[in-house]
Amino acid sequence: MTSSVPTSAPLPATSTGAPALPRHAVTPQSLRAALGMFGTGVTIITTRSGDGTLRGLTANSFNSVSLSPALILWSLARTSSSYEAFAQATHYTINVLAADQLQLAQRFATRGIDRWAGVAHEAGAGGAPVLPGSAAVFECAHRAVHEAGDHVIFIGEVLACSHTPDTPPLLFHGGQFYTELPLAPAVTDPLA
């Protein structure tokens, strides 16, 4: 792991002999670039507001919290146009996208369009839309919001979940979308 402390002295080589990574001051740009090196899955998070309006956005800030009770988290910028809808939501759905859902990911990341026009969906828990064809779906009840800098962290209790075995996921790394490329045989039970 690299430090965010600026330095002008040459960096020593690592234990493998490779030169150490250069250190940079932490700026929003340098932090975003460094975080972009962490490959993630891609989700569309959806809800239905009190007046029935569908809301959704593309996000990669999704993570498991606990298996018992079943909890997940995701984060959203306070400046997001969807912030109020999700802050007031009682339920939301995390749709983990399959590799063939790239166009949906791009659509729900685009501002100023009707993201829902022509998009197939089913009502999940609390009416939050479920997107057919997703690699996995987590239907959640809203449990908590934690303020964290310029974002808020949403904690959801998973009420129902499903997945489609052998479905390649859509991945995101370094500002680009990817599909999976297995490097080793699958682990039968990673929790064993």
Side-chain angles (χ1 to χ4, degrees), residues 50-132:
D51 66 2
T53 304
L54 299 180
R55 299 301 296 248
L57 55 94
T58 301
N60 64 347
S61 62
F62 164 71
N63 201 3
S64 62
V65 174
S66 170
L67 295 176
S68 183
L71 300 173
I72 57 87
L73 68 77
W74 64 283
S75 65
L76 181 63
R78 292 176 200 243
T79 57
S80 169
S81 62
S82 299
Y83 172 75
E84 286 301 323
F86 282 102
Q88 296 173 13
T90 60
H91 295 80
Y92 44 81
T93 299
I94 311 292
N95 298 276
V96 178
L97 299 186
D100 63 2
Q101 291 177 306
L102 171 60
Q103 289 182 340
L104 269 181
Q106 293 170 325
R107 178 185 195 122
F108 278 80
T110 302
R111 296 180 178 155
I113 65 166
D114 178 358
R115 295 174 177 172
W116 290 99
V119 174
H121 62 280
E122 304 163 1
V130 173
L131 302 176

Side-chain angles (χ1 to χ4, degrees), residues 47 71-72 74 83-93 125-126 128 139-146 152-159:
T47 194
L71 300 173
I72 57 87
W74 64 283
Y83 172 75
E84 286 301 323
F86 282 102
Q88 296 173 13
T90 60
H91 295 80
Y92 44 81
T93 299
E139 298 175 51
C140 301
H142 173 71
R143 287 296 170 248
V145 174
H146 300 280
V152 293
I153 300 168
F154 291 87
I155 305 286
E157 178 182 355
V158 180
L159 303 177

